[in-house]
Amino acid sequence: MLVALGLVLVGVFVGESAGTGSSSARAATWGSLQVLAPASRYAFDPQLAVAENGQTLAGWFGGPRPPIPCGGMVCPPAPPWSGSTVVLDPGTVDGGFGAPVVVSTHGSDGPEGLQVAISGTGVAYAAWEQKSGQWMISSAASGGSFTVPHTLLPGRGQLSSLLRSPAGPVAAVWFAWIGETPLLRYALLRPDGTLGRTITVGRWNSTGGT
């Protein structure tokens, strides 16, 4: 399956895992192209998660476009902008994607402002930064609907990221972040998208380490 988000192409091999080492495994091949967001429609920061069983989750920021910064002395009036839509589209490697779902209309539209991941038990997670700066999350069991988004971090998070532990049926998804205080923290995500016990790694310094 090939996935197109605006002008961005993301490729996924169709076939059994080439890493199994089995000589009888079906050779992986490129599938047909599937357009999730046409080039005529605004789409930014596309993300794709693929699980070992072929479950997939695509996500991106959609329209309306954020206002273009004006560097002149007199700027023309711009319509109010309340944020980008956060669009999710679950699917499978063999079956493709279904109809996209909008889970928020107040996304930040910032680079790396959207994260997607799938746990070993099939729970799909999407976390994103709102225009207001807080991080939100929505989750869905395999084949289920996404939950109503709720706050993941009340304040602004820097370098926030969903992290997946090594592959397998018990693979977990973690959320790591640096908050308004320069401390690196992480926590296990429960199936409903709430944070487990928070672990503080240490103070994050300006050179990019603890």
Side-chain angles (χ1 to χ4, degrees):
M1 167 181 52
L2 279 174
V3 182
L5 296 178
L7 298 178
V8 181
L9 292 178
V10 180
V12 181
F13 281 119
V14 177
E16 295 182 14
S17 172
T20 60
S22 172
S23 59
S24 62
R26 178 162 51 96
T29 59
W30 289 107
S32 57
L33 176 68
Q34 182 176 2
V35 178
L36 300 186
S40 60
R41 186 181 305 167
Y42 180 71
F44 180 69
D45 196 28
Q47 303 292 325
L48 178 67
V50 182
E52 289 80 8
N53 64 357
Q55 181 182 349
T56 60
L57 176 62
W60 64 92
F61 286 125
R65 290 176 179 269
I68 299 175
C70 176
M73 296 296 293
V74 179
C75 298
W81 184 71
S82 60
S84 295
T85 57
V86 177
V87 188
L88 302 177
D89 199 345
T92 63
V93 169
D94 289 328
F97 291 90
V101 177
V102 175
V103 293
S104 175
T105 57
H106 302 290
S108 67
D109 199 70
E112 300 183 1
L114 173 63
Q115 307 280 335
V116 297
I118 302 173
S119 74
T121 58
V123 178
Y125 297 93
W128 63 92
E129 186 182 29
Q130 292 281 76
K131 179 176 178 289
S132 59
Q134 64 186 17
W135 275 80
M136 305 291 289
I137 191 168
S138 179
S139 61
S142 179
S145 300
F146 280 92
T147 60
V148 175
H150 59 86
T151 302
L152 185 59
L153 289 180
R156 292 183 177 273
Q158 304 174 25
L159 301 179
S160 302
S161 181
L162 293 180
L163 305 173
R164 191 176 187 272
S165 59
V170 296
V173 175
W174 305 75
F175 185 67
W177 72 96
I178 301 171
E180 294 178 331
T181 56
L183 293 175
L184 175 61
R185 299 182 173 96
Y186 70 92
L188 177 70
L189 280 174
R190 303 186 180 101
D192 63 355
T194 56
L195 293 174
R197 183 172 67 92
T198 297
I199 298 173
T200 300
V201 178
R203 182 172 293 276
W204 188 265
N205 59 45
S206 59
T207 61
T210 57

